Amino acid sequence: MGWYVLKQYYGLTDDTPVYAMAVLLHPAMRMQYIKSRWQQGWWESIKAKVEALWAEYSDLELAPGENEPEKEQEDDEFIDFARPSLTLLEHRSGDEFERFINSGVCGISIPVLEWWSQEQQRKRFPRLSRLARDIFSIPPMSDEPERIFSSARRVISWDRTRLGDSAIENVACLKHWVTNGHCSSFIPQDVELEGLGEGEEDVDNEHIDD
């Protein structure tokens, strides 16, 4: 039963191109990882969805100050060597996606989201970096959103059911910031927030109203 459940959830990765795209956009993996670690059928089943996802970003209008990526001319000898292994589209130096995933892998010492947020990557791959930031900004697990969702129920007590969506969202967000110390510099030192101590998840409605 355990293997059945694992296989069922693992199969869900074929329903969305996000997982495959995350592999392709990781500078230490790219297409080389898929060729060496994936079975051919796995890639063929998700290939069209990956290409469709990139198509949504490939024609995005660049923001003011962003320039079109310069076409990088690859060495002819390298292209001839790599051509038999190119399984997506024909390698085109002007296509950001193709140029990145078919380039050599490189190790990084910082989180991949931070790597794609660097000015160097944003200039070299202006549209691809947007896609990468959207992909790698997705939380890998849902435990934190579920925890925040559960704590929001304590905010909406039976005598406060007329709170609007925006108010609930702001309160939940503010509680999360305060709990994790993201806005401690804005809170006076003489103010004590009960219910926000270490290991406590409840928030006193009286202090929320304040």
Side-chain angles (χ1 to χ4, degrees):
M1 180 58 68
W3 280 110
Y4 171 79
V5 173
L6 288 174
K7 185 176 181 180
Q8 182 181 16
Y9 276 90
Y10 186 76
L12 295 177
T13 59
D14 294 335
D15 295 336
T16 173
V18 172
Y19 176 73
M21 185 64 79
V23 172
L24 290 170
L25 296 183
H26 197 292
M29 296 182 179
R30 313 195 198 200
M31 180 60 75
Q32 179 176 325
Y33 182 90
I34 290 181
K35 293 176 183 176
S36 60
R37 302 292 183 89
W38 284 27
Q39 297 180 12
Q40 183 65 24
W42 297 353
W43 170 240
E44 293 299 330
S45 64
I46 199 66
K47 173 182 175 181
K49 294 181 179 180
V50 170
E51 295 175 348
L53 178 58
W54 165 239
E56 296 178 9
Y57 285 77
S58 59
D59 295 329
L60 287 178
E61 294 185 4
L62 298 179
E66 292 182 330
N67 299 321
E68 291 287 345
E70 296 181 359
K71 294 185 177 181
E72 299 185 1
Q73 299 297 328
E74 305 285 0
D75 183 75
D76 292 340
E77 183 177 352
F78 171 78
I79 294 178
D80 293 337
F81 172 78
R83 189 175 299 280
S85 62
L86 301 184
T87 59
L88 196 61
L89 303 174
E90 284 298 318
H91 185 85
R92 300 189 303 274
S93 297
D95 186 272
E96 298 178 48
F97 182 62
E98 289 295 322
R99 177 156 47 90
F100 178 82
I101 67 172
N102 290 304
S103 299
V105 299
C106 62
I108 57 175
S109 58
I110 58 177
V112 64
L113 178 59
E114 184 178 343
W115 188 86
W116 274 108
S117 300
Q118 293 177 333
E119 184 178 1
Q120 177 184 357
Q121 316 307 334
R122 299 176 68 170
K123 286 184 176 180
R124 189 179 181 188
F125 307 103
R127 295 183 178 87
L128 190 63
S129 64
R130 290 191 188 182
L131 173 57
R133 295 197 301 273
D134 287 346
I135 292 291
F136 292 112
S137 295
I138 301 175
M141 299 180 65
S142 62
D143 56 338
E144 186 65 19
E146 291 177 3
R147 187 179 298 111
I148 296 175
F149 181 82
S150 298
S151 66
R153 177 62 188 90
R154 300 185 180 93
V155 175
I156 316 172
S157 59
W158 297 114
D159 57 345
R160 307 178 77 227
T161 55
R162 297 187 64 182
L163 281 174
D165 296 344
S166 59
I168 298 173
E169 181 180 358
N170 292 336
V171 169
C173 181
L174 182 60
K175 177 202 169 182
H176 183 69
W177 286 356
V178 172
T179 304
N180 291 275
H182 297 313
C183 55
S184 57
S185 60
F186 301 100
I187 301 177
Q189 297 181 355
D190 57 343
V191 174
E192 296 183 1
L193 297 178
E194 298 180 2
L196 291 178
E198 184 177 357
E200 299 183 11
E201 293 188 1
D202 293 334
V203 178
D204 190 348
N205 287 337
E206 178 181 352
H207 292 91
I208 292 178
D209 293 334
D210 295 340

